[in-house]
Amino acid sequence: EAGVAQSPRYKIIEKRQSVAFWCNPISGHATLYWYQQILGQGPKLLIQFQNNGVVDDSQLPKDRFSAERLKGVDSTLKIQPAKLEDSAVYLCASSFLGHTGAEAFFGQGTRLTVV
Amino acid sequence: EDKVVQSPLSLVVHEGDTVTLNCSYEVTNFRSLLWYKQEKKAPTFLFMLTSSGIEKKSGRLSSILDKKELFSILNITATQTGDSAVYLCAVEPERGAQKLVFGQGTRLTINP
């Protein structure tokens, strides 16, 4: 079974530039999560989708971050414009609808460095 | 605000030692507590705990939950260099939410 796919693996941009990350969840997983993990901290949930609808985006900085999952499958997370403090690993995870967060599978993440 | 706190933040031991990692939490409701191992980027699932006092065990790793005192411990016996990683504790704060609140992690280093 293929896992959660993310790209790119690494990205370096200058502050005020834009960046987008892509995630393809495990086939059949209706729930998709984007987490931000700053160095030395645990992952923080940015947004949670069920199919193409947003369940929770309470911690998403909406002035600069946006995410979509138009067809209920893959998802993109965008930052525009980026700030230095956005440097982090962005983790995507997915799970079957109705399953607990414990059964979420994580992708390898995208390491973003903003200089 | 839901909160998960892990201690210590960092731990360095020698191969063969036994270690205990701690996780305490404050959440409005509680569904489950989970432990993950993070070696590079993707956290990998270790245990899920929902009931107090019942030890979960997998090889040299074991974990137990105390819902009265709101904490959990993760034990690793006879540590090996391959156990070096960040260990994350997370809580599922309410039934149906399907989301996780993570602690800051404990960075464990096992020296040969």
Side-chain angles (χ1 to χ4, degrees):
Chain A
E1 177 184 83
V4 176
Q6 290 189 245
S7 67
R9 295 288 300 274
Y10 304 91
K11 189 75 177 178
I12 301 174
I13 62 172
E14 294 182 350
K15 59 183 179 184
R16 292 187 289 272
Q17 285 188 322
S18 302
V19 65
F21 312 127
W22 174 82
C23 172
N24 191 17
I26 293 172
S27 178
H29 281 193
T31 305
L32 185 148
Y33 312 81
W34 283 102
Y35 286 89
Q36 179 195 57
Q37 187 174 21
I38 293 171
L39 187 65
Q41 299 181 19
K44 181 183 84 171
L45 180 69
L46 292 176
I47 190 166
Q48 177 186 349
F49 291 96
Q50 261 183 18
N51 296 307
N52 60 351
V54 175
V55 174
D56 185 344
D57 63 357
S58 56
Q59 297 192 93
L60 186 74
K62 298 181 185 65
D63 57 334
R64 298 184 301 107
F65 285 65
S66 64
E68 59 183 16
R69 194 184 182 199
L70 292 175
K71 296 181 181 177
V73 181
D74 57 349
S75 175
T76 54
L77 176 69
K78 295 179 182 176
I79 308 175
Q80 180 179 15
K83 292 186 176 181
L84 296 176
E85 59 260 36
D86 299 332
S87 295
V89 174
Y90 291 83
L91 293 164
C92 180
S94 70
S95 66
F96 282 109
L97 182 64
H99 284 217
T100 71
E103 292 155 308
F105 295 84
F106 285 83
Q108 286 295 312
T110 297
R111 184 179 297 280
L112 173 68
T113 303
V114 182
V115 298
Chain B
E1 184 184 334
D2 298 325
K3 193 162 68 170
V4 178
V5 177
Q6 293 185 243
S7 64
L9 294 181
S10 180
L11 186 58
V12 181
V13 300
H14 290 291
E15 207 167 18
D17 288 351
T18 293
V19 298
T20 298
L21 309 183
N22 303 293
C23 175
S24 63
Y25 61 91
E26 293 177 27
V27 294
T28 48
N29 293 296
F30 176 87
R31 183 171 187 183
S32 62
L33 183 144
L34 302 99
W35 285 96
Y36 288 84
K37 179 180 182 182
Q38 187 174 30
E39 291 179 86
K40 290 184 179 176
K41 284 194 258 180
T44 54
F45 173 75
L46 294 175
F47 297 112
M48 181 171 72
L49 303 156
T50 56
S51 301
S52 277
I54 299 174
E55 185 183 53
K56 292 280 184 89
K57 197 169 170 63
S58 176
R60 296 176 294 102
L61 277 67
S62 63
S63 183
I64 198 161
L65 173 68
D66 185 328
K67 289 168 73 173
K68 182 179 176 185
E69 299 298 329
L70 308 182
F71 79 91
S72 172
I73 59 171
L74 175 68
N75 277 320
I76 309 175
T77 60
T79 52
Q80 302 171 358
T81 54
D83 295 327
S84 295
V86 173
Y87 289 83
L88 294 166
C89 174
V91 170
E92 193 163 23
E94 60 184 277
R95 187 172 295 274
Q98 292 187 267
K99 67 179 183 182
L100 298 174
V101 178
F102 283 87
Q104 71 272 58
T106 293
R107 180 173 293 280
L108 177 63
T109 303
I110 311 296
N111 288 327

